[in-house]
């Protein structure tokens, strides 16, 4: 009566360690600027609930395993605006981008198979790959280089006979790194050379700043048969609790396999799919407005962070995260200090310690991830609190 | 760039083979009585949409990974009515019973590990167990015995050094078999003796007829540490498209492991959980009404089926399925005939061929599963169409 060996390899979520202390601090009246999770404060467009409230079927019945056609069509149209052409058969609706990733790794990995990904990376990839029986092989990147990983030698040094895929989160979580078209072509070339799947986790697609053009692995026609795009409404439409994502590919084998898994779990929730269809059909001016908002937040938090002596931080080009290396040895110890001892006018701040974003033991201990999910002034104040906290922490 | 070996072991869903023919027949004007899937025609209680429509948060945010507390509390109260005591920590909300089963098998199975289950069984167990890297070891039961499997010798003959769990769908899908308290005690004893998990898939719990008392493995205190209950709103409340289920156990290890997986996929949809909480809080008279409705349907379809010469069918005690052995060699061929050639007054009928419910090669070829999800008169007509179709099929 044991837990499986593969699951015992997965550690506890680091969030669970700090949350009880945050809750205690809040109970004692402290205000905490929560910059630790990717839960934006931006309102979900009202068309979502409008569509849900307009649902009047008497029976909330199963929908199709691959998804509601109204949603598949809305997604198909969304991609058309970027010159990418996907049919209903190429689009599988999933329970958030999370389930899409689970399905992909379950579909392509046998025990011991490997997936290459640049570290630091979104920590739940650990769970998805491990639960599917596989292993992550990281490509280590550095704060000093702005977490660049588009280097042929670097990537190819990670390829082995067991490599099945290279996964790219673009724009990056947690790094905010944006791949250029050239970067993508380089990665595509390596994937072709070693016959690898390209898992393109592009849920932050609309969030590329500084006039960067939005690019996608779906735009490279020479790898159309090996690209698997992961998409989601969570971040783009600030609808994290809707849990609607999708898996998109022109490769029939992966879609066939994903459909087998999808049929096993029957379908995604009907109501959320109907709401999500309305989101994907939104006027494109929405994206510009939201992008402008996040860009302003990024600039604000970056400006404040750079006032910290000794910080290492390159301004990221996308998503809504910023990574920074702090001039201390142990950011977890510092975070605990911020939650339990520090305050400035009754306020403190919370960030994500970066260790959980690395696969390589010992890395990330002096790095943090900040999610710029609060308004500009709050972001400035949050970064200021890190600076003030750091001063007192070092002076103890 | 291959699909994993484990996923290649899973075949296509048999439903996909017949659906195109059903759609074609309907386009040609034929009416089909669809007795093949467990999608009831009973209205979802209106409290579900009332609760959803009352949701007025501006941001549809992540909920807790383990579930909304309002829903956990509603489920806890539901079980209290049966004398079973589960706290929030014992209840993990999942995307339908399906995800709960996936989580359990991922948690307890390493490659090659085995799960015992009586065949015929709900076909998606194949997918869940195989995707987790494990194997199903079936206990074969027979139509002639009403698919009874509560036999110590029979069950123990399936136990090997790799057995990790025994799974019981109770009341049964597809068999409708209801375990007695004595049956459960026998299975519990075997689980203790061989140190196995008991996976108690009790999503049809309220549907036990003929005055049978509703029982649950959760009522056996001597196995409380090894029982994992799977529950769902889909069938009980005719809310299949809400995709809300749960995994319930007093065993801390399994709950801890399931929480790791749950944190990986972040959370279940917020709206559906709020609706589901209203369902679990429904007045208990609802269960009696629905049970009476299904019992009447069962009696009607059973009575009509027994008019078929040579049929083997025992009246099942629960769920909303009835299995029958037909006096022909190949029910799939017969189903194809019903969809493409047969009609009676412009009407025909669809059932589930049983082969997919067996793990043992070659079994189930002359058996069918009928879901009594339509009104009594429709169920009678459906069974009559099987009889009329069979007469013409055999006379060809």
């Amino acid at each position: 009566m044991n837990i499986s060996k593969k699951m015992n390899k997965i550690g506890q979520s680091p969030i669970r360690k700090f949350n009880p202390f945050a809750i205690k601090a809040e109970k004692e009246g402290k205000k905490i600027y929560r910059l630790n999770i990717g839960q934006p404060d931006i309102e979900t467009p009202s068309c979502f609930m409008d569509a849900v409230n307009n649902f009047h079927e008497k029976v909330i019945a199963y929908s199709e395993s691959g998804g509601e056609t109204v949603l598949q069509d809305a997604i198909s149209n969304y991609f058309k605006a970027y010159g990418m052409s996907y049919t209903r058969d190429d689009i599988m609706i999933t329970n958030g981008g999370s389930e899409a990733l689970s399905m992909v790794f379950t579909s392509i990995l046998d025990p011991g198979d490997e997936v290459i990904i640049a570290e630091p990376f979104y920590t739940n990839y650990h769970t998805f790959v491990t639960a599917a029986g596989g292993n992550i092989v990281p490509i280590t990147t550095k704060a000093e280089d702005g977490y660049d990983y588009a280097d042929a030698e670097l990537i190819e040094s990670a390829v082995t006979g067991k490599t099945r895929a290279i996964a790219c989160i673009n724009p990056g979580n947690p790094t905010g790194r944006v791949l250029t078209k050239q970067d993508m072509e380089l990665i595509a070339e390596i994937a072709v050379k070693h016959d690898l799947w390209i898992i393109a986790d592009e849920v932050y697609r609309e969030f590329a700043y500084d006039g960067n053009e939005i690019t996608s692995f779906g735009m490279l026609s020479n790898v159309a048969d090996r690209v698997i795009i992961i998409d989601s409404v969570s971040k783009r439409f600030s609808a994290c609790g809707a849990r609607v994502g999708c898996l998109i590919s022109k490769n029939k084998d992966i879609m066939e396999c994903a459909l087998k898994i999808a049929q096993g779990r029957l379908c995604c929730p009907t109501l959320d799919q109907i709401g999500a269809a309305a989101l994907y059909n939104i006027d494109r001016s929405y994206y510009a407005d939201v992008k402008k908002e996040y860009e302003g937040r990024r600039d604000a938090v970056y400006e404040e962070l750079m006032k910290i002596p000794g910080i290492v931080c390159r301004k990221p080009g996308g998503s809504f995260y910023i990574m920074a290396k702090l001039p201390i040895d142990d950011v977890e110890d510092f975070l605990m200090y911020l939650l339990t001892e520090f305050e400035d006018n009754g306020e403190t701040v919370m960030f994500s310690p970066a260790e959980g974003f690395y696969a390589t033991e010992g890395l990330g201990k002096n790095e943090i991830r900040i999610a710029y999910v609060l308004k500009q002034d709050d972001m400035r104040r949050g970064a200021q609190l890190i600076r003030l906290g750091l001063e007192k922490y070092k002076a103890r």
Side-chain angles (χ1 to χ4, degrees), chain A:
Chain A
M1 231 186 70
N2 289 318
I3 296 302
S4 65
K5 288 187 195 79
K6 65 173 183 281
M7 288 308 297
N8 273 327
K9 284 182 6 193
I10 303 176
Q12 290 301 330
S13 165
I15 295 165
R16 291 173 75 191
K17 189 154 87 189
F18 296 101
N19 240 353
F21 294 96
I23 290 165
K24 184 163 179 283
E26 281 173 336
K27 271 198 185 143
E28 289 163 10
K30 252 192 230 179
K31 174 170 178 181
I32 302 176
Y33 290 80
R34 287 179 177 263
L35 312 183
N36 57 313
I37 58 164
Q39 171 58 63
D41 65 355
I42 289 176
E43 288 185 12
T44 311
S46 58
C47 61
F48 181 92
M49 279 308 296
D50 290 347
V52 167
N53 292 333
N54 264 322
F55 180 86
H56 297 300
E57 301 283 332
K58 293 289 183 199
V59 181
I60 300 175
Y62 288 123
S63 72
E64 290 296 316
S65 294
E68 292 277 340
T69 53
V70 61
L71 176 55
Q72 291 173 314
D73 291 347
I75 294 172
S76 178
N77 281 331
Y78 163 83
F79 277 96
K80 267 193 197 120
Y82 292 106
M84 289 185 270
S85 167
Y86 293 107
T87 66
R88 286 180 188 172
D89 287 346
D90 303 330
I91 300 167
M92 154 94 47
I93 309 303
T94 56
N95 289 300
S98 308
E99 192 194 31
L101 286 166
S102 276
M103 280 187 181
V104 168
F105 293 125
T106 301
S107 295
I108 67 172
L109 299 179
D110 278 311
D113 285 348
E114 296 169 357
V115 176
I116 293 176
I117 187 167
E119 67 178 354
F121 56 84
Y122 175 52
T123 185
N124 286 323
Y125 272 71
H126 273 302
T127 310
F128 304 138
V129 170
T130 308
N135 296 315
I136 281 180
V137 175
I139 310 164
T140 305
T141 68
K142 292 197 198 98
E144 289 77 1
D145 305 330
Y147 303 99
D148 179 25
Y149 62 95
D151 178 285
E153 209 172 313
L154 186 69
I155 296 173
E156 290 202 275
S157 70
V159 177
T160 75
K162 292 188 161 186
T163 310
R164 297 289 168 260
I166 175 160
C168 299
I169 308 173
N170 179 46
N173 174 8
T175 66
R177 181 83 195 173
V178 176
L179 296 175
T180 63
K181 191 91 185 281
Q182 272 177 316
D183 292 340
M184 287 189 184
E185 282 163 355
L186 175 94
I187 292 165
E189 210 174 292
I190 296 168
V192 170
K193 183 173 164 191
H194 299 281
D195 197 22
L196 309 178
W197 295 98
I198 298 170
I199 300 167
D201 181 345
E202 301 180 346
V203 300
Y204 296 95
R205 184 182 302 108
E206 297 294 335
F207 307 145
Y209 315 120
D210 310 319
N212 273 321
E213 271 205 41
I214 288 165
T215 48
S216 166
F217 275 102
M219 293 171 178
L220 307 183
S221 58
N222 66 321
V223 284
D225 62 326
R226 62 180 72 244
V227 166
I228 304 167
I229 294 178
I230 309 297
D231 208 55
S232 164
V233 302
S234 295
K235 313 297 178 174
R236 189 173 308 149
F237 303 107
S238 197
C240 299
R243 311 309 304 128
V244 175
C246 60
L247 183 167
I248 303 176
S249 183
K250 292 193 172 299
N251 182 295
K252 299 292 173 209
D253 293 339
I254 195 79
M255 296 310 291
E256 187 78 11
C257 189
L259 187 58
K260 283 188 207 172
I261 303 173
Q263 288 175 333
R265 55 74 161 138
L266 304 171
C267 65
C268 290
T270 305
L271 288 180
D272 300 276
Q273 291 187 76
I274 288 166
L279 292 176
Y280 272 105
N281 285 329
I282 211 163
D283 188 276
R284 294 197 59 80
S285 63
Y286 172 81
Y287 303 125
D289 294 345
V290 173
K291 180 153 100 168
K292 199 174 154 204
E293 172 64 26
Y294 280 123
E295 193 164 2
R297 293 175 179 194
R298 179 202 60 170
D299 292 343
V301 72
Y302 178 73
E303 193 179 300
E304 285 300 322
L305 284 174
M306 293 311 282
K307 294 177 185 168
I308 298 174
I311 196 168
V312 178
C313 180
R314 302 280 170 270
K315 193 193 263 193
S319 81
F320 49 57
Y321 303 104
I322 186 164
M323 294 266 303
K325 197 186 273 188
L326 299 184
I328 49 174
D329 294 333
D330 184 351
V331 297
E332 293 205 8
D333 188 64
F334 174 46
L335 178 56
M336 199 59 97
Y337 167 80
L338 287 174
L339 291 175
T340 57
E341 298 184 42
F342 173 77
E343 66 158 302
D344 182 73
N345 283 328
E347 298 184 332
T348 190
V349 63
M350 210 170 166
F351 51 72
S352 281
E355 198 178 350
F357 298 117
Y358 285 88
T360 303
E361 200 78 31
L363 292 183
K365 284 188 189 301
N366 57 355
E367 284 172 83
I368 66 172
R369 184 196 75 174
I370 289 170
Y372 39 98
V373 290
L374 305 183
K375 289 174 189 44
Q376 273 196 40
D377 287 349
D378 291 336
M379 292 310 305
R380 279 191 191 278
R381 175 62 178 158
Q384 192 184 54
L385 285 165
I386 293 174
R387 178 168 56 79
L388 297 173
L390 208 49
E391 282 169 14
K392 288 204 181 166
Y393 177 75
K394 292 174 83 171
R396 282 174 318 169

